[in-house]
Amino acid sequence: AGLVLYMVGSILCAVAPTAELLIAARGVQAFGAAAGIVIARATVRDLYSGTAMTKFFSLLMLVNGLAPILAPIIGGQILNWTSWRGVFVCLTVFGAILLAVVFFLLPEPLPEERRTPARFGSVLRKYASLLRDRGFLGYALASGLMFGSLFAYISGSSFALQGVYGLSPQAYSLVFGLNGIGIVAVGQLNGRIVGRFPERTLLTVGLVIAAVAGFGVLAAAVLDLGLIGLLIPLFILVSSIGMVAPNASSLALAEQARSAGSASALLGVLQFVVGGLATPLVGLGGAGTAVPMGIVMAAFGVLALLAFGTMTRPATATAPEALALSQA
């Protein structure tokens, strides 16, 4: 249903006669696309648990990291032989391919005996319960605030790196791509070592690195340490998303087997709401300085670490688990 709605929105975008109708059609497209974001995480929770779930979330970071690298390149090539309307035609075709893959190749991951009726009242009660779950909120906020830092980078880096430091569009694309590769590389590293180290430990390391790197970005902007002085902490901060996101998602969904869809949806809402709040903050200082971007990235990195440290607590092992660990 989400993919069908996405395709309808893409078609409406392609034929929109005015900017206002284009914006409305993009809203329809976004509603459909949201289903993929939510259901992908919920499906992982239905199929996996524990370390296996974290490893698969790390694999998803491969897609999340490559998408911002490949999308502008593919979009630019499409515009060589068609107009912006043709881009939405291509997105419609892409949606149709995804729909066929889901319909023919993706089996339903949730057994019928584990399903619950989708009544509006019960859905609201699930959301209310999740909002009262301090542990879930701690992991969700840590992830969401880190996404806020990432959105600050996405919205502010083009102005800072090109307008302040004089990078050409080609050089900026290279920097953007390298940072995306950093997310992918760290995400895959996380998937390899998560069995050796607990998810909570890896999440702590990722958040600390992100907070320190955020202050590095701010210091580089305030003290005018030059382009290299900014790019190094920027790369470290953006790459840390590859460690924070899969572990935070896994820990947030670990205890939500009966409400994986609602938990996944709320996790995504918090990420995009915080990201939406972070984006305009970057522009408050104007286009001639990188300081606002540094302030937002550093502040959201620290807030993510605080949310994790104050709202979550390590899981306690049961007696059999403790015995098994001591024997191991």
Side-chain angles (χ1 to χ4, degrees):
L3 285 169
V4 169
L5 189 61
Y6 172 81
M7 292 170 58
V8 170
S10 299
I11 294 171
L12 293 175
C13 288
V15 300
T18 66
E20 291 77 13
L21 290 175
L22 175 61
I23 292 171
R26 287 283 282 168
V28 174
Q29 189 186 37
F31 272 110
I37 298 173
V38 172
I39 295 172
R41 274 194 297 250
T43 298
V44 174
R45 181 62 189 88
D46 288 339
L47 295 174
Y48 302 100
S49 61
T51 300
M53 179 167 59
T54 308
K55 286 181 178 292
F56 204 93
F57 276 127
S58 297
L59 182 61
L60 288 184
M61 289 307 302
L62 178 64
V63 178
N64 295 335
L66 288 177
I69 302 172
L70 298 178
I73 298 173
I74 296 172
Q77 294 304 310
I78 292 174
L79 288 174
N80 285 331
W81 53 269
T82 185
S83 68
W84 63 268
R85 295 183 186 275
V87 173
F88 288 106
V89 173
C90 291
L91 291 177
T92 304
V93 174
F94 184 62
I97 294 171
L98 286 177
L99 181 63
V101 169
V102 169
F103 190 81
F104 292 107
L105 300 178
L106 181 66
E108 170 58 50
L110 188 64
E112 189 169 356
E113 63 272 12
R114 289 175 54 196
R115 300 176 199 173
T116 56
R119 299 189 181 93
F120 185 70
S122 63
V123 171
L124 290 181
R125 285 191 293 272
K126 283 182 182 178
Y127 283 128
S129 175
L130 289 168
L131 290 172
R132 292 192 300 268
D133 188 330
R134 186 180 178 88
F136 171 82
L137 272 183
Y139 294 122
L141 283 174
S143 177
L145 288 163
M146 278 304 301
F147 268 80
S149 187
L150 179 64
F151 272 60
Y153 156 72
I154 292 172
S155 60
S157 60
S158 61
F159 298 101
L161 296 179
Q162 294 183 77
V164 179
Y165 293 92
L167 285 185
S168 66
Q170 293 76 19
Y172 171 72
S173 299
L174 178 62
V175 170
F176 196 86
L178 287 174
N179 286 334
I181 292 173
I183 297 178
V184 172
V186 174
Q188 300 317 294
L189 173 65
N190 184 80
R192 287 183 175 274
I193 65 176
V194 69
R196 305 173 191 174
F197 302 96
E199 289 94 332
R200 186 179 172 86
T201 299
L202 294 174
L203 178 56
T204 303
V205 171
L207 289 171
V208 170
I209 290 174
V212 173
F215 279 107
V217 173
L218 178 58
V222 172
L223 301 177
D224 195 16
L225 300 180
L227 180 61
I228 298 300
L230 178 71
L231 290 181
I232 292 174
L234 193 62
F235 175 81
I236 294 172
L237 193 155
V238 173
S239 298
S240 68
I241 300 289
M243 183 168 288
V244 172
N247 291 297
S249 297
S250 179
L251 290 167
L253 298 178
E255 303 299 326
Q256 310 300 330
R258 298 292 297 176
S259 55
S262 299
S264 174
L266 190 55
L267 193 63
V269 165
L270 286 172
Q271 289 174 351
F272 284 98
V273 166
V274 176
L277 293 174
T279 300
L281 295 177
V282 176
L284 293 179
T289 175
V291 173
M293 182 182 75
I295 292 174
V296 174
M297 296 184 76
F300 276 63
V302 171
L303 289 173
L305 184 59
L306 287 175
F308 165 71
T310 59
M311 299 184 69
T312 67
R313 58 185 179 183
T316 55
T318 62
E321 290 172 337
L323 178 61
L325 286 170
S326 64
Q327 290 174 343

